[in-house]
Amino acid sequence: MTRPYVFITRKLNEELFAPLMEIADVKMWDSDSEPVPREMLMKEAQKATALLTMLSDKVDEELLKSAPNLKVVANLAVGYDNIDVKVASERGVTVCNTPDVLTETTADLTFALMLATARRITEAQEFVKEGRWQSWSPFLLAGVDVHHKSIGIVGMGKIGQAVARRARGFGMEILYHNRNRHLEAEQELGAAYRNFEQLLEESDFVVCLTPLTDATRHLFDYDAFKRMKKSAFFINVGRGQVVDEEALIAALNHNEIAGAGLDVFYEEPIASDHPLHHFPQVVAIPHIGSASVETRTTMIKLCRDNIVAVLQGNKAKTIV
Ligand code: DGY
């Protein structure tokens, strides 16, 4: 019997894949930083029984239809907007993601980004490194307080709740907007539900954690930014296309909002001369929400275990 063939779209630590290598032939794309070219991914998919993919790989209808042996796609992310799940399930392909294991790490990053944006941390670091620090002065790089302000969380999933727990420790008023009300979060975290417009109008920090779907694409348009307080900050650790980026740039230009902390962008990677970099009040980081060594290692192991389970005829642990 031929062994299953698994293609992994980044170079990852081979040692982590020992249990998979016992039951399958495993090939990895040979770069840990560059995505696998589309043609190569298409070619590998044609023979693959399993794919371990990154959020930058498009697993669309074209790819799925040209992969006759494919049984499982394990995506190294909680988000799976890069995968056509409908076509995959029609074709009997199991799609797995990595929920739960990245919740606290991503919440840490969200909070760090909010603090960095409000307290101008990256600007301050550049100021020191460029040798511009001449003397202490009262309002030198003065930002705004985070503690005891209001935070409006859009997308009260597990990460949203973990951010709310952190916000509670900062004495913040917690508002949230979600497709469905989350009574547990309301009781346990003292979070108050608002409709989208109310949340925008009342929050000092609007934190976007909602997944990208047809319903959320461009949810944050110019109108949304205009509704926010002029003193408010927009923080996005969800997906870039939930935001109309042109509208965000216009809102920043017109001082409709005070600043933005962005981990995700419309197109990734963002160009080094992107207009968003021209705003000192924007902190832009390269989609590192879940990027701690511990969490990324756990995510890789979860993908591996999901693939092993499916190849052995068992149910994967975290099916989309
Ligand atoms: C995810 O898991 O979807 C995150 O965006 C990766 O950091």
Side-chain angles (χ1 to χ4, degrees):
M1 219 176 80
T2 54
R3 277 157 59 92
Y5 178 68
V6 182
F7 182 64
I8 301 173
T9 67
R10 280 302 156 97
K11 190 170 170 51
L12 302 173
N13 181 351
E14 279 195 21
E15 280 170 26
L16 295 175
F17 291 95
L20 183 57
M21 286 169 174
E22 278 175 24
I23 61 163
D25 294 331
V26 178
K27 184 176 161 188
M28 283 181 200
W29 169 235
D30 62 9
S31 167
D32 58 6
S33 53
E34 298 281 321
V36 61
R38 173 76 179 174
E39 316 80 71
M40 166 84 81
L41 178 57
M42 289 292 292
K43 223 168 117 201
E44 293 294 343
Q46 279 166 23
K47 44 186 179 158
T49 330
L51 292 173
L52 195 163
T53 52
M54 311 296 125
L55 48 84
S56 45
D57 303 315
K58 276 243 154 307
V59 182
D60 54 11
E61 186 169 359
E62 183 195 22
L63 183 141
L64 288 161
K65 287 197 167 156
S66 65
N69 307 322
L70 194 60
K71 286 198 170 123
V72 52
V73 178
N75 205 39
L76 190 76
V78 66
Y80 47 85
D81 46 277
N82 57 313
I83 301 175
D84 192 329
V85 178
K86 188 168 167 281
V87 173
S89 66
E90 281 163 9
R91 300 182 61 81
V93 176
T94 302
V95 177
C96 305
N97 64 343
T98 60
D100 306 328
V101 296
L102 49 61
T103 300
E104 299 298 332
T105 303
T106 309
D108 280 351
L109 187 281
T110 307
F111 227 82
L113 185 55
M114 184 166 73
L115 288 167
T117 309
R119 295 300 302 274
R120 306 174 62 181
I121 301 292
T122 50
E123 243 186 299
Q125 191 202 25
E126 273 165 35
F127 184 82
V128 172
K129 281 195 169 176
E130 287 165 6
R132 288 157 58 205
W133 189 20
Q134 302 300 328
S135 70
W136 186 90
S137 58
F139 287 97
L140 175 64
L141 287 156
V144 300
D145 285 332
V146 171
H147 67 87
H148 297 98
K149 295 282 179 69
S150 56
I151 182 171
I153 300 170
V154 179
M156 198 57 144
K158 291 189 176 140
I159 300 171
Q161 290 166 62
V163 169
R165 279 197 297 278
R166 286 157 178 74
R168 232 180 135 178
F170 276 64
M172 298 179 87
E173 181 192 7
I174 302 163
L175 310 175
Y176 80 97
H177 178 72
N178 202 49
R179 226 173 5 169
N180 305 307
R181 286 225 9 202
H182 204 302
L183 298 179
E184 220 176 279
E186 293 184 22
Q187 274 150 22
E188 281 174 21
L189 303 166
Y193 177 83
R194 294 287 189 270
N195 71 34
F196 185 57
E197 288 74 23
Q198 288 166 335
L199 178 139
L200 296 172
E201 285 162 14
E202 290 178 39
S203 305
D204 296 313
F205 294 91
V206 173
V207 176
C208 171
L209 289 165
T210 190
L212 175 65
T213 63
D214 287 342
T216 64
R217 195 178 304 275
H218 287 203
L219 176 67
F220 287 91
D221 54 11
Y222 192 78
D223 208 54
F225 293 118
K226 205 166 151 46
R227 254 178 211 280
M228 285 172 59
K229 298 179 189 178
K230 291 202 186 309
S231 57
F233 289 83
F234 175 67
I235 309 296
N236 192 6
V237 186
R239 283 289 181 269
Q241 293 189 13
V242 174
V243 177
D244 174 348
E245 218 162 67
E246 297 292 314
L248 173 60
I249 292 165
L252 287 159
N253 268 324
H254 300 147
N255 297 316
E256 294 293 351
I257 62 172
L262 307 169
D263 182 43
V264 288
F265 301 89
Y266 208 88
E267 266 182 36
E268 296 179 5
I270 184 175
S272 60
D273 60 352
H274 193 284
L276 280 169
H277 298 314
H278 301 150
F279 299 99
Q281 69 273 39
V282 170
V283 177
I285 55 174
H287 202 150
I288 54 170
S290 59
S292 72
V293 174
E294 298 97 313
T295 292
R296 285 285 160 87
T297 306
T298 308
M299 288 164 68
I300 291 168
K301 287 181 181 167
L302 179 55
C303 288
R304 174 202 68 195
D305 292 348
N306 278 331
I307 292 174
V308 169
V310 174
L311 296 186
Q312 290 183 329
N314 299 321
K315 196 161 181 267
K317 201 166 155 195
T318 52
I319 299 177
V320 162

